[in-house]
Amino acid sequence: MNDVALSVRDLTIRFGAEGDAVVSDVSFDLHRGEILGVVGESGAGKSTVGRALLGLVDQPGEIVGGTGTIGETPLFRTDPASLRALRGRRISLILQEPLSALNPVLSVGDQIAEAVAMATGAGRRQARRRAVDLLQQVGIPNAGARMRDYPHQFSGGMRQRVLIAIALAGEPEVIVADEPTTALDVSIQAEILALLRNLCRDRRVAVMLITHDMAVVSQVTDRIMIMRHGRVIEAGMTADVLASPQAAYTRALLAAVPPANRTLSRFKGVAESGGVAAERSNEGTQPHGVALTVSHLTVEFGQRRRLFGADRAPFRAVSDVTFEVPAGGTFGIVGESGSGKSTVLSALLGLVPRASGDIRLEDFAIPRVPTLADHRRISASVQLIFQDPFSSLNPRMRVRDIVAEPLYATGRSSRKDALDQAAALLSSVGLRGSVQDKLPHQFSGGQRQRIAIARALIMEPQVLLCDEPTSALDVSIQAEILNLIKDLRATRGLTLVFVSHDLAVVRQMCDRIGVMEKSQMVEIGGTEEVFDLPCHPYTQRLLSLMPRFEAPNPSCG
């Protein structure tokens, strides 16, 4: 019996009649009960292939060659009615960002029931019963009651489960999962991956998993397909390809992955040559003095008193957190979503009022409710690199102006001098010449993150806060940005506070680590100590859930 659920041969996609092919001659089979991992850098064509399977190639994109079938049913260049008959019934899509994929004004139950009705033709009552059953199957507690809730009332992991429930509405044979765990912390990621694995085992669903996370690929996929510039570079059984990659590009891609079991001094980018990064050595003298001190920090949200009725207890987002960072050091903060990590960063910037506790930047004590003058002093000492550089950059301003604006807007420099300093700083992060006069949308994700770093550095801060600075980047661009941050720390003597849900990245970047659980710092220690000998049960659990991937032996290339 043929167990091939999906077959693609020589798929070629072109944008515009005279445009270059963005996907060229891609061929693969996807078997029932199998997870195929599709990996590669941004722009490799991974998501374009996935969307082409559902007839969702963005205009002016067009499939100009190749064949694709589910069973005996053709996929490409079919009429719209035939495509609608396939989507949801035989092939479904799980998108990367569930909050933007779900309708904010419809309840979760209504959205799942609608998918059931469209895929199966079920009546309203039957569709809602099926929707409750699907919510239960994807692990949503109290599914019947949660049917009435809206997307914003669910956590990120639960919203991703809702998208999976919608994808299962028509009991499809094939699911295309496009970066389904990128924005999730390690514990929620583990739950979603286990759910996908169980679907394959129990329902014989075939899953095409598009991701840039090599650790995820190594743990949950059966086969792997490496793409670059729209072409398949290498494919095979996951264990074989990862253990002994044949293509030079595959070897370079794997070498760029931060290892979880040791600390490197530098990461190897895909464009670099030579061996993988060397082990970290002692880098000069240890820094002196303390750049940042946080003592018994508590942050609460919510109205404490009501005019009528009983007082409402405030929500405690951060509870009695204490740590310090030496000048030139890097302190990492890890924990699940909602643990209070980003709230700590907001408190360090004076953006949220503190219920209690003290924060000192060297000899400056940040008031609990800072004045405008205090904020100017804070911004001169502390700057933030955001998780999503595109949304944090003004889309109507050229990048040289974006970087220069903080200097002349605060009166620290004339506009001309600020633009000169911005040009020099952009050059130092690898953006030289005429590219500085472009708009943010004309840059790649990695380049936009370089712009965000330059903007943060223009004020010459002593402390740089990094809030998930590489979570949206593929592994090779991540390596470039992490190397850049390491270089800037060494050359400028920066003190870093590094927040991330990627534990392997935190191990590479930080001298000490604080682990947060439910608003509290439950463990603090040296990086190697925390990773190798964790004391707190929560830290032990967090590390046990971390997907692990070790690059092949350097002798491979």
Side-chain angles (χ1 to χ4, degrees):
M1 180 178 179
N2 187 2
D3 69 344
V4 175
L6 170 73
S7 182
V8 174
R9 292 290 178 271
D10 303 316
L11 172 62
T12 300
I13 301 172
R14 192 180 304 277
F15 275 65
E18 304 299 325
D20 294 332
V22 295
V23 171
S24 299
D25 301 319
V26 169
S27 299
F28 63 93
D29 289 329
L30 181 57
H31 299 82
R32 304 180 197 282
E34 174 186 67
I35 299 182
L36 170 67
V38 183
V39 300
E41 297 173 279
S42 298
K46 310 183 298 295
S47 294
T48 303
V49 170
R51 288 175 175 271
L53 301 178
L54 292 100
L56 298 175
V57 177
D58 294 330
Q59 294 297 321
E62 182 183 3
I63 297 173
V64 296
T67 60
T69 57
I70 290 184
E72 302 298 323
T73 305
L75 286 173
F76 305 145
R77 295 188 294 278
T78 57
D79 61 275
S82 298
L83 279 174
R84 286 195 297 271
L86 287 171
R87 292 188 196 124
R89 295 172 173 85
R90 302 192 66 183
I91 182 168
S92 293
L93 175 66
I94 302 172
L95 293 170
Q96 176 178 352
E97 178 44 62
L99 192 58
S100 60
L102 295 170
N103 190 328
V105 300
L106 290 179
S107 71
V108 161
D110 285 343
Q111 294 183 65
I112 300 174
E114 180 183 22
V116 171
M118 292 182 66
T120 66
R124 184 177 184 277
R125 184 172 296 178
Q126 184 181 359
R128 290 191 68 81
R129 283 199 299 266
R130 173 65 175 153
V132 173
D133 182 52
L134 286 169
L135 277 179
Q136 290 173 337
Q137 289 181 36
V138 298
I140 300 293
N142 199 15
R146 303 288 332 243
M147 286 275 289
R148 297 187 293 271
D149 290 341
Y150 291 83
H152 73 272
Q153 295 174 285
F154 288 76
S155 68
M158 285 189 174
R159 286 194 291 263
Q160 195 63 276
R161 289 171 181 268
V162 171
L163 285 189
I164 294 174
I166 291 174
L168 293 174
E171 299 187 356
E173 302 159 48
V174 177
I175 293 178
V176 178
D178 193 357
E179 301 277 9
T181 64
T182 295
L184 303 179
D185 61 59
V186 63
S187 58
I188 305 302
Q189 175 181 263
E191 293 176 6
I192 297 301
L193 293 175
L195 178 58
L196 290 176
R197 186 77 263 178
N198 290 340
L199 287 173
C200 291
R201 182 191 64 206
D202 299 339
R203 296 184 175 216
R204 301 282 291 163
V205 174
V207 175
M208 178 179 176
L209 177 62
I210 299 168
T211 182
H212 63 251
D213 192 326
M214 297 303 300
V216 166
V217 167
S218 69
Q219 291 206 345
V220 304
T221 66
D222 303 294
R223 290 189 301 118
I224 187 173
M225 184 169 76
I226 311 289
M227 292 189 65
R228 189 184 196 191
H229 302 325
R231 295 182 178 273
V232 176
I233 300 299
E234 187 166 357
M237 299 301 294
T238 299
D240 296 338
V241 172
L242 297 186
S244 183
Q246 300 302 303
Y249 173 74
T250 306
R251 294 195 292 270
L253 193 67
L254 300 183
V257 180
N261 66 341
R262 65 192 189 281
T263 304
L264 306 178
S265 62
R266 196 164 186 82
F267 309 106
K268 180 186 174 186
V270 167
E272 298 177 21
S273 59
V276 297
E279 301 297 327
R280 177 181 287 175
S281 59
N282 293 328
E283 300 174 357
T285 59
Q286 295 297 315
H288 297 286
V290 177
L292 174 66
T293 303
V294 177
S295 302
H296 306 291
L297 172 65
T298 297
V299 177
E300 296 177 343
F301 297 108
Q303 187 68 34
R304 296 192 181 192
R305 304 191 64 84
R306 291 177 172 175
L307 185 60
F308 301 103
D311 293 346
R312 183 175 63 183
F315 169 70
R316 181 162 288 186
V318 175
S319 180
D320 198 32
V321 166
T322 296
F323 64 90
E324 67 177 27
V325 189
T330 301
F331 184 74
I333 305 178
V334 300
E336 295 172 284
S337 298
S339 62
K341 306 185 302 293
S342 294
T343 304
V344 169
L345 296 191
S346 296
L348 299 183
L349 290 163
L351 299 179
V352 294
R354 306 195 302 271
S356 61
D358 298 310
I359 300 175
R360 294 189 68 87
L361 297 169
E362 294 184 335
D363 60 346
F364 173 55
I366 298 179
R368 290 186 184 179
V369 183
T371 65
L372 179 59
D374 293 326
H375 278 297
R376 287 175 176 166
R377 184 166 179 180
I378 294 168
S379 66
S381 300
V382 185
Q383 286 289 314
L384 173 67
I385 301 174
F386 293 94
Q387 176 177 352
D388 181 3
F390 191 56
S391 63
S392 67
L393 300 175
N394 189 325
R396 296 181 177 86
M397 292 179 66
R398 302 189 183 277
V399 299
R400 197 197 320 250
D401 291 303
I402 289 173
V403 174
E405 184 183 32
L407 270 187
Y408 64 78
T410 56
R412 296 183 60 176
S413 176
S414 68
R415 190 173 188 276
K416 181 182 181 304
D417 288 344
L419 287 171
D420 290 342
Q421 292 181 56
L425 191 52
L426 283 166
S427 295
S428 74
V429 298
L431 298 173
R432 301 176 178 86
S434 60
V435 299
Q436 299 179 0
D437 294 319
K438 293 183 177 181
L439 299 170
H441 75 271
Q442 296 174 286
F443 292 85
S444 68
Q447 288 175 320
R448 285 195 289 262
Q449 197 60 284
R450 290 173 181 266
I451 296 165
I453 291 171
R455 181 181 58 182
L457 294 178
I458 196 73
M459 297 293 285
E460 298 184 345
Q462 287 80 51
V463 178
L464 193 61
L465 310 180
C466 304
D467 191 4
E468 302 277 9
T470 63
S471 66
L473 304 178
D474 62 58
V475 64
S476 57
I477 304 304
Q478 173 181 266
E480 294 177 8
I481 296 301
L482 294 178
N483 281 339
L484 175 61
I485 293 174
K486 281 175 174 280
D487 292 343
L488 291 170
R489 175 193 174 190
T491 58
R492 292 173 173 259
L494 290 169
T495 301
L496 303 182
V497 179
F498 200 98
V499 168
S500 179
H501 66 253
D502 190 326
L503 298 177
V505 166
V506 170
R507 178 164 196 163
Q508 303 304 316
M509 298 300 294
C510 302
D511 310 311
R512 290 175 62 78
I513 297 175
V515 182
M516 292 194 69
E517 180 191 21
K518 297 178 180 177
S519 81
Q520 295 182 314
M521 194 81 77
V522 297
E523 183 166 355
I524 295 179
T527 299
E528 304 303 319
E529 173 191 357
V530 171
F531 270 84
D532 295 339
L533 295 170
C535 295
H536 195 277
Y538 176 74
T539 309
Q540 296 168 1
R541 173 178 170 271
L542 208 61
L543 292 173
S544 72
L545 294 172
M546 177 175 63
R548 296 176 183 271
F549 168 78
E550 303 308 329
N553 191 291
S555 63
C556 293

